[in-house]
């Protein structure tokens, strides 16, 4: 899988984003909008062969995320949704 530099989109229901693959770089996570929902940042654990929650968000947030592994696979999971639009953006930071 090749590394991403940016991934953006919206949630208007439950579901997951596309994968965001980092190449040993940190990235910025931005969650915005007016919504009632729970959005989790998840990382794929290759040893467990499963997605694991890094952190969950209930309100708009901006966070710098350290990439814990070269080629780390991340995604967002809108696991609970009531109303509104959740916008998101994950963007690799410059080295």
């Amino acid at each position: 899988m090749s590394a991403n530099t940016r991934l953006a989109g919206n949630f208007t229901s439950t579901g997951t984003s596309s994968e965001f693959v980092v190449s040993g770089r940190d990235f910025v996570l931005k969650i915005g909008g007016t919504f009632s929902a729970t959005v989790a940042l998840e990382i794929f654990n290759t040893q467990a062969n499963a997605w694991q929650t890094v952190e969950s968000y209930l309100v708009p947030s901006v966070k710098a995320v350290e990439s814990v592994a070269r080629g780390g696979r991340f995604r967002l999971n809108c696991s609970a949704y009531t109303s509104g639009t959740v916008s998101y953006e994950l963007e690799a930071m410059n080295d």
Side-chain angles (χ1 to χ4, degrees), residues 29 31 35 37-41 54-63 65 76:
L29 167 64
I31 296 176
F35 58 86
T38 301
V39 179
L41 174 65
V54 175
E55 191 167 359
S56 293
Y57 305 91
L58 302 172
V59 298
S61 303
V62 176
K63 179 171 180 117
V65 179
L76 294 174

Side-chain angles (χ1 to χ4, degrees), residues 3-7 20-30 62-67 89-95:
N4 301 99
T5 56
R6 183 175 181 274
L7 173 68
F20 184 74
V21 180
V22 296
S23 180
R25 300 188 332 184
D26 298 342
F27 61 94
V28 176
L29 167 64
K30 299 176 186 174
V62 176
K63 179 171 180 117
V65 179
E66 291 184 39
S67 176
E89 180 180 10
L90 295 92
E91 187 166 16
M93 297 170 74
N94 293 331
D95 290 332

